[in-house]
């Protein structure tokens, strides 16, 4: 029995060996590398996914959508600093810093623009900020059940503060090289990555970055509009029954987002909850195809009967 217990303790304390990155580690300068995974080919524009908070290539749920888009375009997913296989950034992360990281990555990886930017959840805020900073590099935008400026309100800030406290408590007990929480023995290694202390620290920084957003960006449409850039807004169709107050408020925000562009359309993913890339990857692929066509031809996006 003592031998069994000793063996169990040794296994529990063994450090986790991160598996090889599925994509490419790209040097973006400053001694840091970001991980990017690209598939497919095409004449452009290239498609770049910006995942939701704390998500990275192995957990972003973009896999099926990426495969569908790869049939007609070059499409890439990447890990923001400190997540997945990307190197950490200095503390004090901001959304502006994340935008600059992506810009550096696209240049260093020699991924030719212009880009169709696809932002899921809080990734929607980031692609809008990227489009403001580098408008000439952006061919179009797809917002997938995207976060709006309402995330800066007082109620959301309180929820974030509580989450940051929980993460900090977990980190205080964490050991280097060991997952922060106990996981089943059969957990895939690329998912174990998300429970490592360094990734938890990066997630904490992503929460804090929201509250470091400049005050002028916090009002409705504070991040600016997109002019005539082709824009498809996809909102979830599945909600609680009957819809909760949160569901109703979220839907109202989604239905305001098309006003960000004079060339936009709203699509309802009837079969999906918030995780649309996983629930209905075909709706993402169709939206990207429509934006690429509009960007190439200069044509207006036209609403369909099912939109």
């Amino acid at each position: 029995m003592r031998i069994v217990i000793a063996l169990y303790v040794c296994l529990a304390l063994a450090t986790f060996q991160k598996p090889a990155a599925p994509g490419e580690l790209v040097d973006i300068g400053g001694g840091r590398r970001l991980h990017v995974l690209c598939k497919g080919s095409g004449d452009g524009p290239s498609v770049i996914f910006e995942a939701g908070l704390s998500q990275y290539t192995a957990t972003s749920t973009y896999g099926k959508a990426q495969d569908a888009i790869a049939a007609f375009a070059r499409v890439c997913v990447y890990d923001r600093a400190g997540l997945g296989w990307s190197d950490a950034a200095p503390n004090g992360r901001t959304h502006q810093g994340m935008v600059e990281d992506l810009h550096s990555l696209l240049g260093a990886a020699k991924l030719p623009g212009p880009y169709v930017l696809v932002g899921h959840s809080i990734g929607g805020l980031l692609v809008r900020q990227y489009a403001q900073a580098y408008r000439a590099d952006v061919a179009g935008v797809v917002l997938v059940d995207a976060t709006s400026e309402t995330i800066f309100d007082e109620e959301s800030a309180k929820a974030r503060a509580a989450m940051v406290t929980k993460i900090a408590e977990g980190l205080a007990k964490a050991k280097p090289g060991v997952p922060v929480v106990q996981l089943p023995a059969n957990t895939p290694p690329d998912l174990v990555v998300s429970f490592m202390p360094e990734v938890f620290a990066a997630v904490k920084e992503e929460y804090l970055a929201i509250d470091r957003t400049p005050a002028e960006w916090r009002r409705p449409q504070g991040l600016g509009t997109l002019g005539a850039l082709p824009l498809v807004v996809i909102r979830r169709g599945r909600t609680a029954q009957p819809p909760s107050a949160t569901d109703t408020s979220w839907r109202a925000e989604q239905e305001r987002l098309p006003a960000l562009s004079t060339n936009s359309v709203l699509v309802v993913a009837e079969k999906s909850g918030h995780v649309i890339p996983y629930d209905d990857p075909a709706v993402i692929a169709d939206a990207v195809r429509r934006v690429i066509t509009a960007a190439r031809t200069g044509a207006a996006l036209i609403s369909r009967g099912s939109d």
Side-chain angles (χ1 to χ4, degrees):
M1 178 63 72
R2 291 180 180 177
I3 294 175
V4 172
I5 293 174
L7 178 60
Y8 176 80
V9 171
C10 288
L11 289 173
L13 295 177
T15 57
F16 170 72
Q17 298 298 315
K18 185 182 290 188
E24 180 184 2
L25 294 171
V26 178
D27 187 341
I28 64 166
R32 291 196 294 130
R33 300 173 304 166
L34 294 184
H35 174 240
V36 62
L37 174 63
C38 295
K39 296 181 179 181
S41 61
D43 298 330
S46 300
V47 182
I48 310 298
F49 281 126
E50 188 70 79
L53 191 149
S54 82
Q55 302 298 289
Y56 60 94
T57 46
T59 65
S60 69
T61 69
Y62 275 135
K64 293 179 181 178
Q66 185 181 25
D67 288 343
I69 293 166
F72 59 86
R74 184 69 166 164
V75 53
C76 304
V77 296
Y78 83 106
D79 300 336
R80 290 190 293 269
L83 301 176
W85 287 265
S86 288
D87 293 333
N91 287 338
R93 287 287 276 163
T94 63
H95 281 185
Q96 300 98 308
M98 295 176 197
V99 166
E100 293 308 313
D101 273 2
L102 177 56
H103 184 64
S104 296
L105 171 64
L106 296 176
K110 296 181 171 55
L111 293 171
Y115 310 107
V116 171
L117 302 177
V118 183
H120 176 227
S121 198
I122 203 166
L125 289 181
L126 293 171
V127 299
R128 288 174 57 193
Q129 291 170 43
Y130 192 100
Q132 294 299 324
Y134 299 103
R135 180 65 58 87
D137 295 343
V138 180
V141 174
V142 178
L143 296 178
V144 185
D145 220 40
T147 303
S148 72
E149 287 87 345
T150 57
I151 197 172
F152 303 121
D153 65 24
E154 184 176 350
E155 183 178 350
S156 298
K158 288 180 180 178
R160 283 194 297 280
M163 184 61 68
V164 167
T165 297
K166 288 183 179 180
I167 294 173
E169 289 171 352
L171 287 172
K173 302 174 184 176
K175 298 178 181 179
V178 179
V180 174
V181 298
Q182 188 173 1
L183 300 170
N186 61 348
T187 303
D190 57 355
L191 297 185
V192 175
V193 170
S194 62
F195 295 95
M196 300 307 293
E198 62 271 22
V199 173
F200 260 52
V203 172
K204 177 183 173 184
E205 280 296 307
E206 290 218 335
Y207 275 107
L208 292 171
I210 298 170
D211 295 311
R212 295 175 181 137
T213 301
E216 61 269 23
W217 289 2
R218 295 169 179 250
R219 55 184 175 78
Q221 292 195 354
L223 296 178
T225 57
L226 300 172
L229 276 178
L231 167 66
V232 175
V233 175
I234 306 174
R235 74 162 175 83
R236 63 185 182 235
R238 222 168 50 205
T239 64
Q241 293 299 322
S244 66
T246 299
D247 290 329
T248 302
S249 175
W250 184 267
R251 174 173 176 166
E253 283 303 307
Q254 296 301 299
E255 295 182 348
R256 279 192 276 268
L257 289 174
L260 295 173
S261 172
T262 58
N263 186 13
S264 65
V265 67
L266 175 68
V267 174
V268 180
E270 297 288 359
K271 300 182 292 184
S272 303
H274 181 59
V275 193
I276 296 171
Y278 181 82
D279 291 335
D280 193 357
V283 76
I284 310 290
D286 181 66
V288 167
R289 190 188 291 274
R290 292 170 72 175
V291 168
I292 288 176
T293 299
R296 287 175 176 169
T297 65
L301 288 164
I302 300 174
S303 180
R304 300 172 179 170
S306 59
D307 288 353

